[in-house]
Amino acid sequence: MTTLSAKLQAVRARIADAAQLYGRDPVAIQLLAVSKGWPAAALRELAATGQKAFGESYVQEALGKIDELRDLPIEWHFIGALQANKTRLVAESFDWVHSVDELRVAQRLSAQRPATKPGLSVCLQVNISGEASKGGVSPAALLPLARAVAALPGIRLRGLMAIPAATNDFAEQRRAFRRLGELCQRLRADGLSLDCLSMGMSHDLEAAIAEGATLLRVGTAIFGERR
Ligand SMILES: *Cc1c(COP(=O)(O)O)cnc(C)c1O
């Protein structure tokens, strides 16, 4: 077994352990392999072991890999900061976007999604820790944005995403993820049908699983430190 597939297997084991510990069905927790900075060959190797979903942060870098790997049934997730002038490329080439935080961007994705493709799956990014340096809609502005995005054609509002402030304190990690879960419940109570909580990365995926994550975005623990 290669180092890469061994690391992927180790991450899958962490997910299974945490799911068992916190009473979650592991089938309901999807693993997104965050492959930014890594060459198409590495993705191909993981795809051969059954990994289907890959996450990318930079549009141009991703388009090269999408083209190179078009013979594989990969599900492509855009997770990076999305500038309005890049929305067309994302709407045309990706299956998911996790980082929508303003209506203008969602409207462009909606208008630019090719009619021949299924709706683009969208998560709204929430700035859960209130960090000025981070993207994401504030919790206070989330509900009106979610209502407006859910009404757009060509995209499907699937849920929420967050990148909480980095901490090694497990209880603190859980508190931040719990807030995102509560916001998701509030939107559901408002009538939105959401099935995705995109939260948890290499260092905090156990806390995210404990708080109901349905999709983990994991890079370093699979691929190693980014160069
Ligand atoms: C890079 C990145 C990740 C992966 O982080 P790791 O710590 O490498 O697991 C997850 N989410 C987003 C939005 C990222 O940009």
Side-chain angles (χ1 to χ4, degrees):
M1 195 171 17
T2 66
T3 316
L4 208 48
S5 58
K7 281 180 154 170
L8 178 65
Q9 230 174 61
V11 170
R12 291 198 177 283
R14 275 175 70 188
I15 295 168
D17 287 350
Q20 177 155 37
L21 185 58
Y22 299 108
R24 299 280 318 279
D25 179 357
V27 171
I29 305 170
Q30 198 192 354
L31 174 60
L32 180 65
V34 175
S35 44
K36 62 184 180 222
W38 299 96
L43 283 70
R44 185 175 288 283
E45 191 179 325
L46 289 180
T49 73
Q51 179 62 33
K52 273 191 87 82
F54 289 88
E56 292 281 338
S57 301
Y58 308 103
V59 175
Q60 291 306 334
E61 177 195 333
L63 291 178
K65 293 182 217 178
I66 292 172
D67 188 45
E68 218 172 307
L69 300 173
R70 62 184 177 278
D71 58 310
L72 299 176
I74 289 177
E75 186 177 272
W76 293 101
H77 294 238
F78 188 78
I79 63 173
L82 184 50
Q83 293 152 345
N85 64 352
K86 296 276 173 66
T87 51
R88 179 176 298 281
L89 296 170
V90 170
E92 288 175 351
S93 298
F94 282 81
D95 303 296
W96 280 71
V97 181
H98 291 242
S99 44
V100 171
D101 63 1
E102 53 172 332
L103 184 57
R104 190 174 64 109
V105 164
Q107 286 168 332
R108 291 177 64 94
L109 291 170
S110 165
Q112 294 165 345
R113 180 67 169 176
T116 52
K117 294 202 164 197
L120 180 67
S121 286
V122 164
C123 288
L124 299 178
Q125 183 176 350
V126 183
N127 191 340
I128 205 77
S129 307
E131 293 172 285
S133 62
K134 274 206 188 122
V137 60
S138 73
L142 177 62
L143 181 60
L145 176 64
R147 284 178 177 152
V149 171
L152 293 172
I155 63 184
R156 284 179 65 198
L157 181 60
R158 301 294 296 267
L160 302 180
M161 183 274 248
I163 313 170
T167 170
N168 289 319
D169 181 332
F170 187 71
E172 212 172 300
Q173 291 173 357
R174 283 192 65 162
R175 270 196 297 278
F177 290 138
R178 192 173 314 145
R179 278 202 296 279
L180 193 70
E182 286 165 357
L183 289 170
C184 197
Q185 285 301 1
R186 211 173 299 166
L187 297 185
R188 289 195 181 109
D190 191 60
L192 296 172
S193 112
L194 305 177
D195 61 1
C196 184
L197 260 185
S198 167
M199 60 188 196
M201 321 200 308
S202 293
H203 70 287
D204 57 9
L205 66 88
E206 283 84 2
I209 289 170
E211 296 297 340
T214 67
L215 187 150
L216 310 168
R217 307 179 314 272
V218 178
T220 311
I222 297 171
F223 291 98
E225 293 290 337
R226 282 179 287 278
R227 292 159 295 186

